Amino acid sequence: MNLWLICLFNVVVGLLLAMPERVLGLEHAESHGASEFSGGLPDMCAGTLGTWCQDYQAQKPFMSKAWSSSDWRCSDENCNNVGNCNRDIGICDCMAGWTGDDCKTRQLRPCTNKHRKSGFQPQGPPQNSSEPGWTASRCAGVCDDDRAICYCNGTLGRIPPAPGSPPGTPPLQLGRPMVLEECNPNKDDFGNPVAHGQRDPELLFGANGWCEAKQPQWQCPCVIEGRTGPTCDDPAEHTCNNQCSGHGRCNFGFCMCDEGFYGHDCARHVAGADLKLDLSQRPWLRDVTSDAAVEASRAQTRLRPLIYIYDLPSIYNTRMVEYRVNKGICFWRSFVEGNGTSITQWTYSIAPLLHEHLLQSPHRTLDPEQADFFYVPVYTSCFMHPIFMWADAPFWYGPDGPRVMHTARMLLEAKQWLQTHLPYWNRKGGKDHVWLVTHDEGSCWVPSEIRPSIILSHWGRRDVKHVSNTAFPADNYSSEYVHPEWSPNGWTNIIKGHACYDPDKDLIIPSFLGPSYIKQSPLLGFPARERKHLLFFRGNMGRGRAPHYSRGIRQRLHHLSQHHRWRDHHSIVIGPPEEAGQDGEYAVMLSSSRFCLVVPGDGFSPRAEDAILHGCVPVVIMDNVDPVFATALDWRNFSVRIAEDDLEHLPKILKAISQQQLETLQHGLSHSQQQSVLV
Ligand SMILES: *[C@@H]1O[C@H](CO)[C@@H](O)[C@H](O)[C@H]1NC(C)=O
Ligand SMILES: *[C@@H]1O[C@H](CO)[C@@H](O)[C@H](O)[C@H]1NC(C)=O
Ligand SMILES: *[C@@H]1O[C@H](CO)[C@@H](O)[C@H](O)[C@H]1NC(C)=O
Ligand SMILES: *[C@@H]1O[C@H](CO)[C@@H](O)[C@H](O)[C@H]1NC(C)=O
Ligand SMILES: *[C@@H]1O[C@H](CO)[C@@H](O)[C@H](O)[C@H]1NC(C)=O
């Protein structure tokens, strides 16, 4: 794969490795300290803080014990044909549409035109096409009401399985998808306008329309999972974590495991299961599947740390993937034409990416008793967008209130599930558990009960008495919400009393930037450009946002820059795309500037990643906030930090940096990008 991941992984793993000493006591100290293996990779550790990196490299492999699963049975071992029996606890994990310990309870997610405001009864689709109301799942065709995904009616429409078919029976005809505004009619059956629909009904339902003609006169974008081609008729592989380890079938993000296998990615297995991996029928899976964990479950030599990845009920992770209508979001890769792999541009891709790479990692253990760490995969950002409010479920615990409240409760509920079903949380009070929250201010609304754990996030805000600074009201974690039934005392009490980020145990990790972001980088062999601009920043400068967006930093900089003509006097290029856009492509500008700004947006903004990947020295302006890997890399060696109070002196401060100092910083930068963020 790419070096970026290896490096990210090493940093994360390395820090975790240091944790047993720092946080947990000294139980694995015997595996540290030997130096026989050091020296092999001389540059790996340059510029890192502390000794975690060297310790990781220096450890000796040890012999691990062979693992065998426990053998709890589920009351229905086939889980109603719509799930897998988790043999560790004797409870089925169910695909979308089903719930309960044996997957026998229907759990519908109908397409809907409006949200219920009380109770838990799904609303269902509009009774007739004139009925007002809009949600993203509003459906003028045939709804897959396991997932709230809308398909065509008519000749090329969806034909559900015959009534009375057994659970898990596929539809008789899949149907062409008809999702989102661009594929929804802008008029009802009587010719009255329909809010949010964008398409002339003739182009959808007419004789030459999308739902009727093999070669339609207009095509909906084919964004749905499992389909490709201009008319969306060609079957493609569905995306699952680790593609079910090659021991199962992927269905919209959910792995239906082969006989003898179970767990989130079908890596767990009962004694006697056939462990041979055979991808000869599906060669396109070879690049994206690994059965390293299955292999490593047999006794062999290993390196610490060993990480156990929980197979949480899917509602906390893959169910979100099952509910999405666009394969470009909620996962870091997708299958395209011919089952090739494409990397998506989803902002929060690090969540599925880290999860998948941990699942495939040689550091993964299937045996919780041998684990140094426990990773708890909860897909909070995918839930917040696009899943939340697109249909009638899921909510935590009613449709109202800020979405951060729902998400915080989702995390809390996952923790409570761990505590009731397995013994590992209580052993160390959660200190050896690792959670990832990727959203703007994600680190700030992690529930107090989870705070003993190691939190990975993008937002390194350190102050204890913090209030939300988002300009997006649904993400305001300081906004209280009271509901007589499920929130009589409000909700903010579950998150109060902690800094967003504790540098002694938490870690700020970079956002994943796909190859398209860095295709101009001189660090990747593209021709180096003269760095003719002193400073560059392009982005929203506050237009259309509340004044506290970016703590006001972007707005103040923009004003100062215009008022004092920084561009003319100092070659400082700061502005929104519509203003700074004519100067050249973003990546080209990053590659032709000496310094690049790292300032907040609604929380984090992945600007350090942009700067570092293009060899531009980051200028960090966000008081009391740690940038990525602040506790792992020595940021003094490759960046400049300026206080929020000193914005007006920015040109003077940068101009006082000598050519020699700049070169030292640039040299430090080449280390840091090697360590952390090079693709
Ligand atoms: C980083 O900077 C510190 C002090 O500013 C210095 O001691 C150290 O040698 C530098 N490290 C590298 C790799 O340049
Ligand atoms: C369809 O819904 C609209 C709006 O609720 C209503 O006015 C109309 O009478 C309904 N038409 C039929 C045929 O039920
Ligand atoms: C499909 O649904 C649309 C919108 O309700 C309707 O106008 C059209 O007649 C339907 N097509 C068929 C073949 O039933
Ligand atoms: C892609 O994968 C799907 C699902 O496994 C399969 O049906 C299809 O034939 C594959 N397409 C190609 C071109 O290999
Ligand atoms: C968030 O909500 C609180 C409480 O309603 C309010 O006082 C605060 O101004 C809001 N914060 C932002 C950044 O809008």
Side-chain angles (χ1 to χ4, degrees):
M1 245 329 285
N2 59 44
L3 192 54
W4 182 87
L5 288 173
I6 298 166
C7 294
L8 168 70
F9 188 74
N10 272 307
V11 171
V12 174
V13 162
L15 277 200
L16 294 183
L17 184 80
M19 288 288 172
E21 289 162 313
R22 280 168 46 196
V23 179
L24 307 172
L26 288 164
E27 51 239 274
H28 299 305
E30 77 280 2
S31 63
H32 295 233
S35 59
E36 290 166 33
F37 292 86
S38 66
L41 294 159
D43 282 325
M44 270 301 290
C45 298
T48 53
L49 287 170
T51 60
W52 60 268
C53 184
Q54 289 83 357
D55 290 347
Y56 175 71
Q57 308 244 330
Q59 68 172 309
K60 282 186 191 145
F62 71 99
M63 200 65 188
S64 82
K65 293 192 276 289
W67 169 76
S68 61
S69 85
S70 39
D71 201 21
W72 289 90
R73 301 287 168 131
C74 294
S75 52
D76 171 4
E77 278 180 43
N78 289 323
C79 298
N80 204 23
N81 218 16
V82 287
N84 306 305
C85 176
N86 184 333
R87 300 295 198 106
D88 299 333
I89 50 177
I91 295 177
C92 293
D93 202 16
C94 316
M95 65 164 65
W98 299 90
T99 188
D101 285 358
D102 49 11
C103 302
K104 288 197 171 144
T105 310
R106 261 327 239 142
Q107 186 183 50
L108 294 181
R109 186 177 193 243
C111 300
T112 183
N113 58 320
K114 46 177 169 279
H115 289 288
R116 61 205 165 145
K117 289 290 173 191
S118 63
F120 292 91
Q121 291 316 303
Q123 187 85 32
Q127 292 305 304
N128 73 47
S129 66
S130 314
E131 213 175 280
W134 187 87
T135 74
S137 70
R138 183 180 173 122
C139 187
V142 180
C143 184
D144 167 3
D145 51 15
D146 289 340
R147 304 185 180 80
I149 298 179
C150 187
Y151 293 84
C152 278
N153 59 355
T155 310
L156 298 172
R158 186 175 185 85
I159 308 177
S165 305
T169 306
L172 293 167
Q173 181 169 293
L174 285 167
R176 283 194 182 148
M178 208 168 64
V179 294
L180 299 182
E181 291 102 315
E182 53 197 326
C183 294
N184 264 278
N186 58 15
K187 290 190 212 85
D188 68 14
D189 287 346
F190 314 98
N192 310 307
V194 171
H196 297 282
Q198 287 176 0
R199 207 53 55 201
D200 183 340
E202 189 61 23
L203 293 177
L204 296 167
F205 310 120
N208 293 315
W210 174 246
C211 296
E212 293 295 333
K214 268 248 157 294
Q215 299 301 328
Q217 67 185 119
W218 176 83
Q219 294 156 352
C220 272
C222 183
V223 293
I224 197 87
E225 188 70 301
R227 241 58 97 61
T228 58
T231 51
C232 220
D233 295 327
D234 305 333
E237 192 66 47
H238 293 223
T239 319
C240 278
N241 270 302
N242 196 22
Q243 296 306 131
C244 314
S245 307
H247 296 294
R249 288 274 160 184
C250 176
N251 189 39
F252 283 92
F254 182 88
C255 282
M256 278 295 281
C257 302
D258 295 342
E259 179 81 41
F261 293 86
Y262 64 97
H264 184 92
D265 67 338
C266 307
R268 309 179 73 70
H269 47 87
V270 298
D274 179 8
L275 300 187
K276 192 161 59 62
L277 180 65
D278 178 10
L279 296 178
S280 57
Q281 299 302 308
R282 294 180 288 167
W284 53 85
L285 294 185
R286 283 193 185 123
D287 285 347
V288 284
T289 310
S290 159
D291 69 343
V294 176
E295 275 304 304
S297 65
R298 309 162 189 224
Q300 57 165 264
T301 57
R302 316 217 42 187
L303 288 177
R304 295 217 178 265
L306 295 186
I307 303 177
Y308 178 79
I309 298 142
Y310 278 118
D311 295 307
L312 285 178
S314 54
I315 186 66
Y316 304 114
N317 43 55
T318 48
R319 184 63 59 79
M320 301 302 151
V321 178
E322 283 186 272
Y323 284 161
R324 73 197 169 142
V325 296
N326 184 340
K327 61 184 169 187
I329 38 187
C330 290
F331 217 80
W332 70 279
R333 57 176 175 83
S334 71
F335 288 101
V336 292
E337 240 82 348
N339 291 330
T341 287
S342 156
I343 294 186
T344 65
Q345 302 200 2
W346 192 50
T347 313
Y348 309 110
S349 283
I350 196 75
L353 183 136
L354 188 61
H355 186 198
E356 179 162 66
H357 282 78
L358 288 172
L359 290 168
Q360 298 178 335
S361 163
H363 288 276
R364 178 182 179 189
T365 177
L366 298 178
D367 182 0
E369 296 297 341
Q370 293 193 54
D372 303 298
F373 293 98
F374 294 80
Y375 188 72
V376 196
V378 182
Y379 288 1
T380 51
S381 284
C382 178
F383 166 64
M384 287 172 80
H385 182 81
I387 303 308
F388 180 64
M389 293 304 249
W390 275 33
D392 265 337
F395 299 129
W396 278 267
Y397 300 98
D400 295 336
R403 65 183 185 182
V404 281
M405 170 190 81
H406 294 261
T407 318
R409 287 181 166 161
M410 176 193 194
L411 285 167
L412 189 56
E413 199 184 84
K415 179 252 178 187
Q416 286 160 355
W417 186 92
L418 291 181
Q419 262 185 307
T420 21
H421 289 85
L422 295 160
Y424 314 111
W425 176 277
N426 288 339
R427 289 189 183 168
K428 295 199 172 108
K431 280 185 175 183
D432 48 2
H433 282 51
V434 183
W435 305 69
L436 169 65
V437 275
T438 51
H439 219 78
D440 296 340
E441 296 179 311
S443 58
C444 299
W445 41 257
V446 171
S448 314
E449 285 187 31
I450 291 172
R451 288 288 172 186
S453 297
I454 297 157
I455 315 291
L456 310 181
S457 83
H458 296 315
W459 188 227
R461 188 170 171 181
R462 280 170 172 251
D463 37 338
V464 179
K465 289 200 163 176
H466 53 94
V467 292
S468 174
N469 191 58
T470 179
F472 192 64
D475 288 356
N476 183 346
Y477 64 82
S478 306
S479 110
E480 193 51 283
Y481 172 75
V482 177
H483 185 281
E485 211 177 310
W486 51 77
S487 205
N489 304 316
W491 76 281
T492 54
N493 55 319
I494 70 170
I495 60 168
K496 278 202 175 122
H498 305 267
C500 304
Y501 152 74
D502 175 356
D504 284 340
K505 63 173 182 65
D506 300 338
L507 182 63
I508 305 306
I509 64 170
S511 310
F512 176 71
L513 300 179
S516 63
Y517 288 90
I518 46 156
K519 57 180 195 257
Q520 302 278 346
S521 173
L523 304 178
L524 293 177
F526 286 88
R529 293 167 199 274
E530 184 201 347
R531 294 196 179 268
K532 59 185 179 195
H533 305 294
L534 178 61
L535 177 78
F536 171 66
F537 182 82
R538 182 182 296 167
N540 188 312
M541 303 308 293
R543 193 158 145 198
R545 307 276 188 143
H548 57 266
Y549 172 72
S550 181
R551 301 176 166 193
I553 296 171
R554 296 189 189 197
Q555 299 86 322
R556 284 169 58 207
L557 282 170
H558 194 214
H559 175 78
L560 284 166
S561 169
Q562 287 190 315
H563 191 70
H564 298 290
R565 296 174 51 207
W566 281 358
R567 174 193 280 263
D568 299 337
H569 296 311
H570 310 294
S571 194
I572 289 179
V573 184
I574 290 178
E578 59 273 21
E579 224 174 81
Q582 65 275 54
D583 293 298
E585 253 188 85
Y586 186 59
V588 173
M589 290 302 286
L590 291 168
S591 311
S592 17
S593 304
R594 280 163 275 166
F595 296 96
C596 293
L597 279 178
V598 178
V599 292
D602 265 321
F604 83 95
S605 181
R607 303 306 181 131
E609 293 86 323
D610 289 345
I612 293 170
L613 285 166
H614 291 85
C616 186
V617 174
V619 176
V620 183
I621 310 179
M622 41 188 195
D623 294 358
N624 252 319
V625 180
D626 272 10
V628 295
F629 291 146
T631 49
L633 303 178
D634 196 339
W635 269 72
R636 290 168 305 180
N637 298 39
F638 59 86
S639 71
V640 176
R641 184 134 202 162
I642 296 179
E644 287 176 28
D645 275 348
D646 285 342
L647 292 192
E648 60 192 297
H649 307 302
L650 183 68
K652 205 174 89 198
I653 295 170
L654 294 183
K655 285 180 147 173
I657 295 171
S658 69
Q659 180 62 26
Q660 197 198 340
Q661 285 169 314
L662 175 65
E663 280 166 20
T664 307
L665 292 171
Q666 286 169 338
H667 180 72
L669 200 56
S670 74
H671 278 313
S672 78
Q673 55 88 13
Q674 244 178 51
Q675 257 95 49
S676 55
V677 279
L678 177 66
V679 169

